[in-house]
Amino acid sequence: MPSPRLIVGLGNPGASYADHRHNLGFWFVDQLADELKITLTPQGKFHGSIGRYRELWLLEPSTYMNSSGRAVLALANFYKILPDEILIVHDDLDLQPGDIRLKHGGGHGGHNGLKDIQACLSTPDFWRLRLGIGHPGERSEVINYVLKAPRKEEQALIDRALDRCLLAWPQIAAGDYAAAQRVLHVRETEK
């Protein structure tokens, strides 16, 4: 598999959304930018904040979650980045806090950010780093749930998951997704 050339963290822009569960993608990209010692800078033509490390681009769309695809498509088209070279980092209701899954392709699972990216790229064949936030139990509560900060005990699990993502970063960066999955796909209870 090719190494990723574009890492996209999904979230909603602005301070009022910063600590929400829906912004886990932004949290990871911020931590990765710190690790790589790069700064994300707003770029209007790419509809988001971007940073570059060698041949790798980091992106946090400023389009709000439901229109994330516009930012991904703009940057991918400009730099001729193929879907296989894109890793989308996002929150996932179907995984418990602290659980992580790295996968290629598949459906959007009702995630509006993924849905828009698939529509804009005309393919689901990109990589996803799915970070668990748990489910509120009632479908009618989902919007309210994702637009709130995690509870203290959930935050601790999520923080450890983000640490594990950074630990797996060398394997992800090398395109060795199988090795990265061995680091990432460990349930918090197995540690």
Side-chain angles (χ1 to χ4, degrees), residues 83-127:
D84 266 358
E85 299 171 318
I86 299 173
L87 174 65
I88 307 294
V89 186
H90 64 91
D91 61 300
D92 196 305
L93 289 161
D94 294 330
L95 298 175
Q96 290 303 308
D99 287 351
I100 308 164
R101 288 294 173 270
L102 177 64
K103 68 177 254 184
H104 184 263
H108 54 73
H111 194 290
N112 289 327
L114 288 179
K115 186 178 185 179
D116 192 61
I117 292 167
Q118 287 181 4
C120 288
L121 294 178
S122 301
T123 182
D125 295 331
F126 48 84
W127 285 90

Side-chain angles (χ1 to χ4, degrees), residues 11-24 26-27 64-65 146-149:
N12 287 308
S16 63
Y17 294 100
D19 65 347
H20 292 176
R21 291 177 177 99
H22 225 16
N23 276 38
L24 259 66
F26 279 11
W27 299 358
Y64 290 92
M65 182 68 76
V146 300
L147 295 179
K148 282 212 165 80

